[in-house]
Amino acid sequence: MIGPVIIVIGLSVAAVATQMAMGKSNGEQVIDYKTLHHCFNHYLRCDSVGNNLWQTLLKTSPHFDRYCCWLFVAAALGLVEFEKVIEAPWFKVPQFVSPEVNWMAALFMLPVAIAPAIEHIGGIMAIGKVTGKDYASNPG
């Protein structure tokens, strides 16, 4: 039952991901295709070099070198704005607010919360039938 929910979420973000990959934001072209092609080309080069050269050194963080390469190329092409990062307060106490409950959001998430529980109970019952034991009576 959770599979269709995941499919719907994936399909709903696919259109946005496609627009972003084409350099568009809100239907408007913000990065031209030549610049995007240049960035993706450098990223793929960094990816192939990273897969071959850094396998042992960066085994715990395999995409860090690719991200650094992508950020360097994008900054060199003027696609990264560092002004907001420089102007932002680096250490600041967040503004605390009192929590509020949105019952519509809770009701919307209820099927997503119930589906794994139902699947888990079904799995326990199916395994019990295969093995001939009653796992539901003493699950622990």
Side-chain angles (χ1 to χ4, degrees):
M1 185 166 164
I2 198 72
V5 174
I6 293 171
I7 291 171
V8 168
I9 292 170
L11 289 174
S12 65
V13 298
V16 176
T18 303
Q19 294 293 314
M20 290 176 69
M22 292 190 306
K24 294 183 179 181
S25 177
N26 294 329
E28 174 184 326
Q29 191 75 31
V30 292
I31 303 172
D32 62 311
Y33 289 120
K34 186 176 181 181
T35 306
L36 277 173
H37 183 268
H38 193 62
C39 284
F40 287 136
N41 192 11
H42 278 289
Y43 178 78
L44 291 175
R45 287 181 185 172
C46 290
D47 191 43
S48 62
V49 169
N51 279 336
N52 296 324
L53 186 64
W54 302 106
Q55 274 186 340
T56 56
L57 181 63
L58 293 174
K59 193 174 273 189
T60 57
S61 58
H63 300 288
F64 181 71
D65 57 341
R66 283 83 153 177
Y67 174 74
C68 290
C69 178
W70 177 264
L71 183 63
F72 178 75
V73 170
L77 293 172
L79 300 175
V80 181
E81 298 176 4
F82 290 108
E83 292 82 21
K84 292 182 181 180
V85 175
I86 293 169
E87 294 171 358
W90 284 47
F91 299 101
K92 183 179 176 182
V93 177
Q95 179 183 358
F96 293 102
V97 295
S98 62
E100 80 178 48
V101 177
N102 185 339
W103 291 108
M104 291 304 292
L107 289 174
F108 181 74
M109 291 301 293
L110 190 62
V112 177
I114 292 174
I118 293 171
E119 289 178 359
H120 181 68
I121 292 170
I124 290 173
M125 293 173 69
I127 292 172
K129 287 200 183 230
V130 169
T131 59
K133 296 181 181 178
D134 186 18
Y135 292 107
S137 65
N138 188 9

